[in-house]
Amino acid sequence: MRNALAIARKEFRGYFTSPIAYATIGLFALIFGLMFVAFLRFFMEQSLRAGAGGQMGMGGPQTVNVNQMLIRPLLLQASVVVLFVLPLLSMRTFAEEKRSGTMELLLTSPLRDWEIILGKFFGAAGLYALMLAVTMLSVVWLFIYGNPEWRQVLAGYLGLLLLGSSFLSLGMFISNLTQNQIVACFITFAVLLLLLLLNWVAEFAGPTMREVLTTLSITEHFDDFAKGVIDTRHLVYYASFIFFGLFLTSRSLDADRWRG
Amino acid sequence: MIEVQHLTKRYGQTTAVDDVSFSVAKGEILGFLGPNGAGKTTTMRVLTGYMPATHGKATVAGYDVFEQPVEAKRRTGYLPETPPLYPEMTVHEYLTFVAAIKGVPPASRTRQVDTSMQTARVTDVAYRRCGALSKGYRQRVGLAQALLHNPEVLILDEPTAGLDPKQIIDTRELIKSLAGDHTIVLSTHILPEVAQTCQRVVIINKGRVVAEDTPDNLTASLAGVEAIYVQVDTGGGDAAPVLQGVTGVVRVVGTEARDGRFSFEVHSERGHDVRRDLVSAVVSQGWGLLELRPVRLSLEEIFLQLTMEESESDAARAASSRDSDGVASEASSAADSGAQGGNSDA
Ligand SMILES: Nc1ncnc2c1ncn2[C@@H]1O[C@H](COP(=O)(O)OP(=O)(O)O)[C@@H](O)[C@H]1O
Ligand SMILES: [Mg+2]
C-alpha cells in the first residue's frame, strides 16, 4: 500500500507539471460556475413567480425547491461535463509511461501490478476530487444565502465522485492500450459517450430491454445521488464498475508483458 | 549470483533469444556482447522481470525472476537502453520517487539518494529537470537510479551508448569500481568495451550464444587458431584438395584465382604448425609457392566473424565481390569451434 501511495503522489503531482491540471480544473470550475448562474437565475424567476407576495428568494419553506430545482439539475448537468473532462485525466496514466519508456522502470521495480494500477487510479481520482472541491465554492453560496439540504449536496458530490472514478478506471484501461495520449483521450471519450447513449436508446427500447439498459447505464445510477438518496444498489454498481475497469487494466498490463 | 538456463524468448514468430544459458559469479562483471538485434536487450528484460521468457529459467540472487519477481527485483538495479526518466521531475525528485518504489525505507531515503548521486556524479544537477539534461547526464542519472537501493545485481543495457569518449571512459571506470560489491551484467555492441571493463564475455548473435570466455582467453584461443595465408601458382588445377590433405589442416578457404594463382587461407589445429608440410605439399605438386604467412585475427575480427556466422549466404555474396570477406565467413566457423575449445579449457 505504501508503494501505491508513492505512485499516487507522483501521479497527482505529475498533473501539475503540465497545464493539464490547471486547464481541467479551471475549465470544469468555469463551466460549473456558468451552469450554476444559469440555474440560479432560472430558479429565482420561478420562485419569484411562485411566492407572490410571500417570501422573497430562498426561504426556509422552499428548501425542497432549492434541492429539486437547482442542485439536482445542476449535478446532472455536471455529470455530463465530467464525461467530457475526465478523459483528459485518464489519457496519460499509462500511454505516456509507455511512450517515454518509464514503464520499464515501474515494471522492473519491486512493485505488484495492483500497486501500480491503484496508485495511478488514486492519483487521478485525487485530482478529480480536487476538481470537484473547487466547484463546491459556488455551492457554498447557496448555504450563505439560502438553506439547502446539505445531505443532498454531499450525496450528489459522492455520486459525482463515484461516477467520475468509474470513468477514470475505464479510461486507464484504454490508456494502457496505446502509447498515444491523444488517441487514448478520444477513444475514452467515444466509449463514455456510447455508455451515455445507452440511456437514450433505453427510452425507445421495449420494457425488458429498457430494464437491462438502464441497469447498465452508468448515468442512470447517478440520478438517485443527485436527488440526495444514497442507495446501496448504486454504490455496488459503481464499485463493481470501478473494479471491472481496474481489472481490465491489470489484464491488459499482463497481456503486454507476455507479448513483450 | 545470476543463472540463466535455456532461455528462449519469442515475439510472435520472431525468436529474439534462442536457448541462451550462462551464469555470473558474485562480484563479477560480465560483458554481453553482440551486434544490434542480437537479443541483448531482450535477455536483460527477462532477467529484470520486465517480461517473462517463452521457455527456460532465470534466477537472480537465488530468486526465480518469474516465480518470485518482487524478491528478485528488490535485488536488481536496471539501467534500460534509454534511461527511464520523468522529464518534468528534478533529478532529486526523481531519485526520491525511485527510492520509494524500490522499497528503500523512508528513514534512509535521503542518505541513499545522496550516496547514489555522488557515486554517479550527478550531485551538481540535483535540482535540474531531468528533461533538460544532456545525454551524458541522463545516462548517469539512469545509473544513479539503478544503484539507488544498493542492489546486489546490476543490469546495464548499453551504458555507454551515445556518450562522448571522455564520458565513456568515466562510465567504464565507474562500472569497474562497482564490481565486487555488485555483480554486473553489461551489454554492448562495442568490442573494446568488454576487453577493458569485463572479466568475462558472452558473445551473442541472432539470439544464440556463440562464445563465452574471458576477453584474454577469447583473444588467445580464437586468435590462436592458426591461420596461414598461402598463395600458390598451380598453372591451372585446383590446389584446395591438396592443401586440405595435409595433416593438421582443419579447413581451407579458397578465395580467388587469378591467372592460375590461388589464394587460400589455411586453418590448422591449434598448436599444430603445418607450414613445413604445406610447403612440401605444394612443392611436391610442382607448383610455385608465391606467398606464405601467418594471419593473426584481432579480437575485433573474431567478433565480426563470430557474429557473421550463419549468414553464410550474405558472406557468399560478399565473397564473390570481395576477397577478404570470403575468408572471414569461413574463418568464423573455425573461430567458433576454437571458442568452444576455449570454454572447455576454462
Ligand atoms: N517488442 C518487440 N516485439 C517484436 N520484436 C522485437 C521486440 N523487441 C525486440 N524485438 C526483436 O528481437 C530481436 C532482438 O532484439 P533486442 O533484444 O532488442 O536486441 P539487441 O538489444 O541485442 O539489439 C530483434 O530482431 C528485434 O527486432
Ligand atoms: Mg538493445
Side-chain angles (χ1 to χ4, degrees), chain A residues 98-117:
Chain A
K98 287 182 159 190
R99 194 195 56 77
S100 72
T102 44
M103 205 60 202
E104 208 160 349
L105 171 68
L106 297 184
L107 292 181
T108 56
S109 292
L111 303 169
R112 290 164 183 93
D113 283 1
W114 66 262
E115 291 174 325
I116 299 175
I117 293 169

Side-chain angles (χ1 to χ4, degrees), chain A residues 112-227:
Chain A
R112 290 164 183 93
D113 283 1
W114 66 262
E115 291 174 325
I116 299 175
I117 293 169
L118 274 189
K120 285 184 168 286
F121 173 70
F122 284 128
L127 190 80
Y128 172 54
L130 182 66
M131 216 166 93
L132 290 182
V134 171
T135 66
M136 278 182 159
L137 291 178
S138 10
V139 179
V140 164
W141 263 76
L142 292 180
F143 285 93
I144 295 172
Y145 295 103
N147 188 20
E149 171 65 60
W150 62 269
R151 276 173 214 277
Q152 191 203 339
V153 176
L154 281 190
Y157 269 97
L158 175 67
L160 276 182
L161 193 63
L162 288 171
L163 178 82
S165 299
S166 308
F167 292 166
L168 285 177
S169 76
L170 195 64
M172 275 171 56
F173 165 60
I174 294 165
S175 174
N176 197 37
L177 300 178
T178 168
Q179 298 200 359
N180 187 325
Q181 300 190 52
I182 309 300
V183 170
C185 182
F186 277 108
I187 296 179
T188 308
F189 177 64
V191 170
L192 292 180
L193 215 53
L194 271 176
L195 281 176
L196 193 69
L197 283 179
L198 279 185
N199 257 4
W200 297 342
V201 174
E203 308 259 316
F204 306 104
T208 339
M209 201 55 194
R210 180 181 304 177
E211 187 79 6
V212 173
L213 287 178
T214 44
T215 312
L216 285 178
S217 159
I218 191 163
T219 43
E220 190 63 26
H221 292 268
F222 176 65
D223 195 37
D224 272 349
F225 285 101
K227 280 184 205 152

Side-chain angles (χ1 to χ4, degrees), chain A residues 256 259-260, chain B residues 9-17 32-45 50-51 81 157-158 187-189 204-207:
Chain A
D256 281 350
R259 208 175 307 123
Chain B
K9 175 71 192 181
R10 292 198 192 96
Y11 297 107
Q13 295 297 309
T14 345
T15 304
V17 173
F32 212 52
L33 178 65
N36 285 326
K40 305 181 295 293
T41 299
T42 304
T43 309
M44 294 187 143
R45 285 180 159 179
Y50 177 74
M51 50 164 84
E81 219 161 353
D157 198 354
E158 310 219 3
S187 77
T188 176
H189 62 271
I204 178 173
N205 186 42
K206 296 193 175 160

